[in-house]
Amino acid sequence: MMKKTFFLVFLTFSLQAVELNPQVLQEIIQNNPSAYKEKILLAKYYEKHSNDLKASALVKDVLKKHPKNKNALAIRQRIKQKRHIREIFREANLLQPITKEEAQKRLDSYYTQNNYQLYSTLYQALISSNVSLDDEYHIKAAYIYLWDTHYTESKEALDRVQQKNNIDVAKVKATICYYQGDYICAVRLFEKLYNASYQLEYAFKLINSYIYLGEITKAQRIYSYLHRRDPNNSKLQKIEKKLQKLQNRYINTLKKAFQQDPSFQTLKPYTVALNELGKLKKSIELLHHFNTQNATNDSLVLEAKYLLWDNQTNKALDILKYSSLTSDLQAKLMLGQIYSWDHKFKEAKTYLNEVIKKTQDTDLLYNAHKALAFVYMWNKEQNKAKQLFTKLQKENANDREVNEALMELKHDYKALLNVYERKVRTSHNPQDLKYLANLYIKTKNTQKAKKLLKRYLQIDPQDLQTTKQLALLLIADKEYYEGFGYLEYYTAQTRTLQSNLLLAKNYYWYGFTKEALDVLDRTIQKYPNAKEALQLKAKILKISPRFTTSNSGATISTYFEKITSTQLQLADSLYFNSHYKSSLNYYEAYLSKHPDDHDVRYRYAFALENAKEYAKAEGEFFLMLWTKNSDEIRYHYAYNLMKNNKLKKAKELFLELKKDSFSKIDPQLHKFLLQWQKAWQSEDFKTYISFYDQSFTNNALWAFRKQQIFKDAKYIAVGIYDPVSKEINHNKYIIRFYQEYATDKKSDKGYKTLYLRCDNTKKECKITQELWQAAKYKKEQLLSPYIDNALKEIKRLESTPLTMRFSKKKTLLS
């Protein structure tokens, strides 16, 4: 018996390790027909060698006497499954061995004919047969299983997808989570999908997921954004009714709790909910009523906070100065913040430093340090601000305000613009619109700034300071009708002496003398002793008598505009016909009235250079470096330095330029660029993302957004013009070119910059960063050959006596 047991164990291992001799097992079975274990071993052997008939016969014999034998039942089930799969393959006209191409071709035919049952049947057979398939076939199967509510099979199909951050995978998973009631998972995925595409399909499910989780405020925020874009959408109207009902129920529950127990513990969540639902004034009213009878330090501080949010700063200050709050550190923090906003930096530092010295609360300490850092920044104590913000960044690397303050201190406006452009696309916070507009103002892009400020004021029309800011931008850009409309509204709402004076001054400065006098007359009637108003009126009357009218426009301004316009036309006519010296007087006359017209100033500087007035040209190009620090201007500044015999400085600048400026694109990089363009236009997403570094491909939002473009577009066309490149570090390069991008839904034109990291041969490169800026096409003029000529000229001049220099040399770059 022991020998037989040993032999069976040996045979079991032999099936896996060594090729079994079936004759030995057959002899045992012939001598002992009841040896069922040997029959199972032999059946496994036949199954392995695709002899299913013999395996089935052996299994049948075993099951007659041992009907519950697990091994026999498993073999029978596997054989049955294989027969079923062979039958499926026969019906699909697929012959063994099945190739990947044939299998996918058959799946495609089922899918295009909407034979989803046949697709899923064949798909499962192929998976069971270990046939390799591309990602798209697993995704299609996942969708089919989803539609049939077979969620487990759908998830299994998705697990076979190789590509990370696939938008279809996220969509199917999100939908499964949604219908299975896992709303936390649904929110996580639908937020990414919605922010990548802004499709209503995702928005509605996201709103409903928030509602099921009880996050009414978040649902309301997205609803409000969608409602502003499409107020007549019937689905949104249904959501509005649902939200309203839930909000009322939620508020009534909190209200009832407060009525039953009128304490600050029940009042706080009630007022917080009211505020989140846009009823800030109601929150303030409740807190004020509570504080007149049952005030606590916490309730007073909360009322002060809400008053601040409602722009009632003076009332907030009055509360924070109550005797009961003199030692309250939270109140002192708020006082410090208020004084910092009002630029009363001495008082702000006093309160904030007191909090820092006395508090044991880590959150309070962090916020006090943060407020103090902003005080330093706004008080132009830049080094202290940088040190403190850097320290805070180490404590909390995810603090958005700290990170952005450091960007601002470093004047990294490009990074800030990227951050806030992304925020405006993906969030619904109106303050982000306002901040982005201010960034555009700092970078002198007033067109975008005005557009964003108008959008912001549609959301918050009561922000009077922003109304004033927009008005002044419009007026400065000579959009008088709209600009003065905003400024009139600002003045009417504020009703202060200063706002009236601001309106009158702007009317006067821009040539609308009659309107300026009308405003001043109204102002003096209300403030008869307003000295500044009286002086301005006298000044206007001295220059412009009462009979001067400006009903049809700014008469004085129009007069001077006409003169300067003529001067500019004459200057440009002479300039473009190479009469540089003759154009100078006209340019100077025009620039005396339009000193900030940088395009004209450039032509003037270039005219000076060609007229051989190198000293003046040097100064003009130097000044232009502050407004437009381009390689071309740096070249001309260096060139005029050279012409003024400042050879050392000129040489330094030319060498810097040689290192920094673009050259004709490297052939290997050009090949990479053309392959990237082909991937874009062929709409092959898998190939397209292979050009990008992991910092891109691991970013789900970026990947989803790109995939959505590929899914939505009927075609993609990418035109590339004037590509240039430069090496910025070892194996790191920049490619720059003019791009014309078009799909059936969108088109744009501008300059694209790709940052690459390559191997030593430049055959394997990855894009690590990409930037795009809208612009009109301008023919690329490479500076590298001119810089080389200039360096040769300097070398020649350095060996030439001073008296013989610049005898008969022409401009190098014309």
Side-chain angles (χ1 to χ4, degrees):
M1 184 69 185
M2 286 183 66
K3 286 181 179 179
K4 184 179 178 184
T5 304
F6 172 78
F7 180 68
L8 286 172
V9 170
F10 172 76
L11 282 177
T12 302
F13 284 109
S14 297
L15 279 172
Q16 298 173 355
V18 181
E19 184 64 28
L20 180 71
N21 186 347
Q23 292 176 354
V24 176
L25 282 173
Q26 284 171 350
E27 286 176 14
I28 293 171
I29 294 166
Q30 283 172 357
N31 295 331
N32 183 10
S34 63
Y36 75 92
K37 290 183 178 177
E38 287 83 350
K39 287 181 180 179
I40 289 171
L41 284 171
L42 188 57
K44 284 184 177 178
Y45 172 84
Y46 285 137
E47 182 192 5
K48 183 182 177 183
H49 287 79
S50 301
N51 195 336
D52 291 343
L53 286 172
K54 287 186 177 182
S56 295
L58 287 165
V59 166
K60 189 177 180 180
D61 283 347
V62 171
L63 290 173
K64 282 178 183 177
K65 291 189 177 181
H66 305 278
K68 293 184 179 180
N69 185 286
K70 290 182 180 178
N71 286 322
L73 288 169
I75 294 169
R76 187 175 73 174
Q77 182 58 34
R78 287 199 297 271
I79 290 170
K80 187 178 178 181
Q81 180 65 20
K82 279 196 281 184
R83 284 175 181 165
H84 177 63
I85 288 170
R86 282 197 294 271
E87 185 61 32
I88 292 168
F89 290 157
R90 271 199 299 274
E91 288 178 3
N93 293 321
L94 293 172
L95 302 174
Q96 299 277 15
I98 296 169
T99 65
K100 175 180 176 179
E101 290 73 21
E102 287 174 335
Q104 292 184 166
K105 187 177 179 181
R106 179 58 59 199
L107 285 171
D108 281 332
S109 71
Y110 287 157
Y111 197 84
T112 53
Q113 293 166 23
N114 299 331
N115 289 331
Y116 300 133
Q117 184 62 49
L118 288 176
Y119 185 102
S120 59
T121 303
L122 177 57
Y123 171 78
Q124 197 57 55
L126 292 166
I127 294 300
S128 299
S129 302
N130 296 317
V131 177
S132 173
L133 297 171
D134 291 339
D135 281 354
E136 66 174 289
Y137 298 94
H138 300 305
I139 290 168
K140 286 173 182 174
Y143 273 115
I144 291 167
Y145 289 132
L146 173 66
W147 299 332
D148 289 338
T149 67
H150 296 159
Y151 299 137
T152 302
E153 291 88 341
S154 185
K155 286 179 182 177
E156 287 172 356
L158 293 178
D159 289 340
R160 299 182 187 109
V161 176
Q162 297 295 310
Q163 181 197 320
K164 290 182 179 179
N165 292 328
N166 184 289
I167 194 169
D168 287 296
V169 172
K171 182 179 178 180
V172 175
K173 282 184 178 177
T175 308
I176 292 171
C177 290
Y178 181 80
Y179 286 117
Q180 289 189 325
D182 186 355
Y183 296 113
I184 293 173
C185 161
V187 162
R188 177 173 57 81
L189 291 166
F190 278 128
E191 277 181 343
K192 289 180 181 177
L193 289 165
Y194 175 62
N195 289 332
S197 66
Y198 290 104
Q199 289 194 357
L200 289 177
E201 172 194 359
Y202 303 136
F204 291 138
K205 285 193 171 69
L206 184 55
I207 289 171
N208 282 324
S209 298
Y210 280 138
I211 289 171
Y212 288 126
L213 289 171
E215 297 187 37
I216 310 300
T217 308
K218 289 182 178 179
Q220 178 69 48
R221 193 177 299 142
I222 295 180
Y223 161 77
S224 299
Y225 175 74
L226 294 173
H227 181 68
R228 283 195 299 272
R229 291 175 60 190
D230 186 8
N232 298 318
N233 188 297
S234 58
K235 288 186 179 179
L236 283 174
Q237 288 167 1
K238 289 179 184 177
I239 287 173
E240 181 184 18
K241 289 176 183 175
K242 189 189 292 188
L243 280 172
Q244 193 62 54
K245 196 179 290 184
L246 288 166
Q247 286 170 11
N248 292 337
R249 191 188 304 165
Y250 179 50
I251 291 293
N252 287 334
T253 303
L254 294 172
K255 182 180 180 180
K256 191 175 179 181
F258 174 63
Q259 287 171 341
Q260 291 172 350
D261 174 23
S263 64
F264 181 63
Q265 283 68 35
T266 56
L267 177 62
K268 184 178 179 181
Y270 181 27
T271 58
V272 167
L274 285 168
N275 173 52
E276 285 181 341
L277 295 172
K279 298 177 181 179
L280 179 58
K281 291 191 185 297
K282 179 68 175 173
S283 296
I284 294 169
E285 184 185 319
L286 284 166
L287 279 164
H288 182 71
H289 185 265
F290 180 84
N291 285 333
T292 56
Q293 299 172 348
N294 308 301
T296 66
N297 282 4
D298 289 338
S299 65
L300 286 167
V301 168
L302 186 60
E303 185 186 354
K305 184 187 288 186
Y306 284 171
L307 285 166
L308 279 177
W309 291 351
D310 197 39
N311 293 321
Q312 299 185 54
T313 309
N314 291 333
K315 286 186 178 180
L317 279 170
D318 291 341
I319 291 173
L320 294 168
K321 289 177 181 176
Y322 280 2
S323 57
S324 63
L325 293 175
T326 51
S327 58
D328 188 288
L329 294 178
Q330 185 69 46
K332 289 182 184 295
L333 172 62
M334 287 179 67
L335 282 166
Q337 290 170 328
I338 291 168
Y339 284 127
S340 70
W341 299 333
D342 288 344
H343 285 207
K344 295 178 180 177
F345 300 125
K346 186 177 178 182
E347 294 91 333
K349 286 178 183 178
T350 301
Y351 281 110
L352 294 172
N353 282 318
E354 191 175 344
V355 175
I356 290 164
K357 285 176 187 174
K358 293 182 178 179
T359 189
Q360 301 294 317
D361 185 319
T362 52
D363 287 340
L364 199 61
L365 182 64
Y366 180 87
N367 285 320
H369 273 130
K370 183 171 161 181
L372 186 60
F374 276 108
V375 169
Y376 289 144
M377 186 168 85
W378 295 333
N379 198 32
K380 300 194 179 353
E381 298 176 72
Q382 309 293 48
N383 289 333
K384 286 184 178 180
K386 275 185 190 176
Q387 287 173 8
L388 193 45
F389 276 126
T390 303
K391 180 186 171 187
L392 290 166
Q393 191 182 50
K394 288 176 183 176
E395 290 180 39
N396 182 6
N398 297 319
D399 190 320
R400 175 176 63 83
E401 290 178 325
V402 169
N403 292 331
E404 288 165 11
L406 280 169
M407 288 179 196
E408 191 162 345
L409 284 164
K410 294 171 183 175
H411 302 294
D412 192 357
Y413 294 123
K414 269 189 181 177
L416 274 173
L417 281 168
N418 286 335
V419 168
Y420 273 88
E421 281 168 350
R422 190 161 55 248
K423 277 186 188 178
V424 165
R425 285 195 302 269
T426 58
S427 76
H428 310 294
N429 185 351
Q431 294 301 319
D432 292 339
L433 280 172
K434 185 176 174 181
Y435 190 82
L436 180 58
N438 281 302
L439 284 175
Y440 279 129
I441 291 169
K442 285 179 182 176
T443 53
K444 303 189 187 309
N445 192 337
T446 57
Q447 292 304 317
K448 283 191 176 180
K450 287 181 294 189
K451 189 176 178 181
L452 287 169
L453 289 177
K454 286 176 189 177
R455 274 177 62 190
Y456 169 76
L457 287 172
Q458 286 176 345
I459 300 166
D460 187 4
Q462 301 306 313
D463 188 336
L464 297 176
Q465 289 305 310
T466 302
T467 303
K468 180 178 82 171
Q469 184 183 28
L470 175 58
L472 296 177
L473 277 176
L474 288 162
I475 292 167
D477 283 354
K478 298 180 184 176
E479 296 176 46
Y480 298 129
Y481 183 82
E482 195 174 8
F484 281 115
Y486 278 106
L487 199 56
E488 288 276 9
Y489 175 79
Y490 166 77
T491 306
Q493 291 296 311
T494 53
R495 292 182 291 183
T496 64
L497 172 61
Q498 291 307 314
S499 62
N500 276 276
L501 282 170
L502 179 69
L503 179 61
K505 285 177 181 177
N506 274 277
Y507 271 136
Y508 167 60
W509 291 335
Y510 288 93
F512 294 85
T513 52
K514 182 180 181 297
E515 285 79 1
L517 287 168
D518 288 344
V519 174
L520 287 170
D521 285 340
R522 293 197 304 269
T523 306
I524 292 165
Q525 190 175 2
K526 189 175 180 180
Y527 305 99
N529 297 318
K531 187 178 178 182
E532 196 173 353
L534 292 164
Q535 287 176 340
L536 181 58
K537 182 178 178 181
K539 185 177 181 180
I540 292 172
L541 289 171
K542 183 179 178 183
I543 296 170
S544 214
R546 278 200 178 275
F547 55 79
T548 301
T549 64
S550 57
N551 291 327
S552 60
T555 52
I556 296 172
S557 176
T558 304
Y559 172 72
F560 284 114
E561 276 296 318
K562 191 174 180 182
I563 293 173
T564 53
S565 175
T566 304
Q567 289 166 337
L568 182 59
Q569 287 173 12
L570 290 167
D572 283 345
S573 178
L574 290 164
Y575 174 88
F576 288 116
N577 284 285
S578 302
H579 299 298
Y580 299 113
K581 197 164 188 177
S582 300
S583 70
L584 294 176
N585 289 334
Y586 295 106
Y587 276 135
E588 285 163 4
Y590 174 83
L591 288 168
S592 67
K593 295 179 180 64
H594 298 276
D596 294 326
D597 191 331
H598 302 299
D599 290 335
V600 174
R601 188 163 291 281
Y602 174 80
R603 297 200 290 276
Y604 171 60
F606 195 77
L608 285 168
E609 180 182 304
N610 279 276
K612 300 184 180 179
E613 296 194 24
Y614 301 121
K616 282 186 178 181
E618 177 196 324
E620 288 295 327
F621 282 117
F622 175 76
L623 289 173
M624 288 183 70
L625 289 173
W626 293 91
T627 55
K628 189 181 178 183
N629 189 6
S630 68
D631 287 350
E632 192 176 348
I633 290 169
R634 286 167 66 198
Y635 168 84
H636 283 291
Y637 175 52
Y639 177 79
N640 284 281
L641 282 169
M642 179 184 75
K643 284 297 188 178
N644 286 319
N645 208 33
K646 299 174 183 177
L647 302 183
K648 185 178 178 183
K649 179 67 176 174
K651 187 176 182 179
E652 287 174 6
L653 288 173
F654 280 130
L655 288 171
E656 281 178 21
L657 265 175
K658 188 176 176 66
K659 183 181 175 184
D660 295 343
S661 62
F662 286 96
S663 303
K664 186 178 178 182
I665 190 166
D666 177 275
Q668 281 299 127
L669 298 182
H670 194 217
K671 185 178 178 182
F672 171 89
L673 182 62
L674 294 177
Q675 289 170 341
W676 171 84
Q677 179 192 30
K678 184 179 178 182
W680 244 128
Q681 296 187 139
S682 65
E683 300 176 53
D684 181 355
F685 182 71
K686 189 175 179 181
T687 305
Y688 174 76
I689 62 167
S690 69
F691 288 88
Y692 287 85
D693 182 68
Q694 283 187 344
S695 59
F696 280 96
T697 55
N698 291 343
N699 183 326
L701 186 60
W702 180 86
F704 290 172
R705 191 173 289 134
K706 293 294 184 183
Q707 286 173 72
Q708 195 66 51
I709 292 171
F710 279 96
K711 285 169 74 70
D712 290 346
K714 292 179 181 176
Y715 67 87
I716 296 175
V718 181
I720 291 175
Y721 305 95
D722 292 350
V724 293
S725 67
K726 68 177 176 181
E727 186 172 6
I728 52 172
N729 212 329
H730 180 61
N731 288 343
K732 291 183 179 178
Y733 304 89
I734 299 177
I735 300 175
R736 185 172 181 268
F737 54 92
Y738 188 78
Q739 175 181 285
E740 289 188 355
Y741 170 86
T743 71
D744 56 308
K745 298 180 184 299
K746 180 188 174 184
S747 65
D748 55 44
K749 297 177 182 181
Y751 280 96
K752 186 97 166 190
T753 307
L754 301 178
Y755 292 78
L756 310 182
R757 186 183 63 250
C758 303
D759 63 5
N760 289 330
T761 64
K762 287 182 268 190
K763 289 181 180 177
E764 289 291 329
C765 297
K766 296 290 180 184
I767 299 168
T768 58
Q769 186 183 358
E770 62 179 355
L771 302 172
W772 180 84
Q773 186 174 17
K776 291 182 179 179
Y777 174 73
K778 183 183 177 183
K779 179 68 180 172
E780 187 75 42
Q781 187 171 25
L782 294 177
L783 290 173
S784 48
Y786 299 101
I787 294 167
D788 291 338
N789 286 340
L791 288 168
K792 288 177 186 175
E793 177 73 355
I794 288 173
K795 188 175 181 181
R796 183 189 70 79
L797 290 169
E798 285 174 336
S799 61
T800 304
L802 191 63
T803 54
M804 295 178 66
R805 292 180 187 175
F806 307 112
S807 52
K808 291 182 180 178
K809 288 290 170 186
K810 295 180 180 178
T811 302
L812 292 175
L813 178 60
S814 57

